[in-house]
Amino acid sequence: MLGIVGQDREDLASYVARKGLPFPLLSDEDRSVMKAYDVFNALNVDAFRIAHPSAFIIDPQGIIRYSYVASHQMDWPQTSVVAEQLARARAEVA
């Protein structure tokens, strides 16, 4: 598991040091990953130049097994659904 955020590396390093996250958090300063996965939100009532909350499960061959892209900034994928989809994806590649 890893996270990708649209922050510069220095701010991100400070955040990770404070939070002690149990997974890698990568910087997408130029928003290229957000744009490639079609989650970039250039301008909206509730967002400016950030990604829609989203989750992707990608198998070792690079196949997207699950994706969730929110319709607005307060819409998040349910942890239980993501966990269920992760278990399903693991079973499919096993």
Side-chain angles (χ1 to χ4, degrees):
M1 182 169 129
L2 63 88
I4 301 174
V5 296
Q7 289 181 276
D8 66 51
R9 290 179 188 163
E10 289 178 20
D11 289 344
L12 182 58
S14 173
Y15 177 81
V16 169
R18 285 192 320 270
K19 296 295 183 179
L21 300 175
F23 55 86
L25 198 55
L26 307 178
S27 172
D28 184 19
E29 289 183 78
D30 66 359
R31 309 324 197 248
S32 60
V33 175
M34 291 178 203
K35 291 173 184 173
Y37 281 84
D38 200 25
V39 299
F40 182 68
N41 192 353
L43 179 62
N44 201 343
V45 173
D46 65 346
F48 176 69
R49 290 187 40 82
I50 60 176
H52 292 282
S54 51
F56 295 89
I57 296 174
I58 304 170
D59 74 13
Q61 289 73 38
I63 298 169
I64 297 174
R65 298 291 181 167
Y66 169 79
S67 68
Y68 180 91
V69 179
S71 59
H72 55 82
Q73 291 309 114
M74 304 320 301
D75 179 20
W76 289 83
Q78 293 181 357
T79 304
S80 60
V81 172
V82 174
E84 177 185 305
Q85 293 296 323
L86 181 57
R88 181 178 293 159
R90 283 182 177 160
E92 289 175 3
V93 297

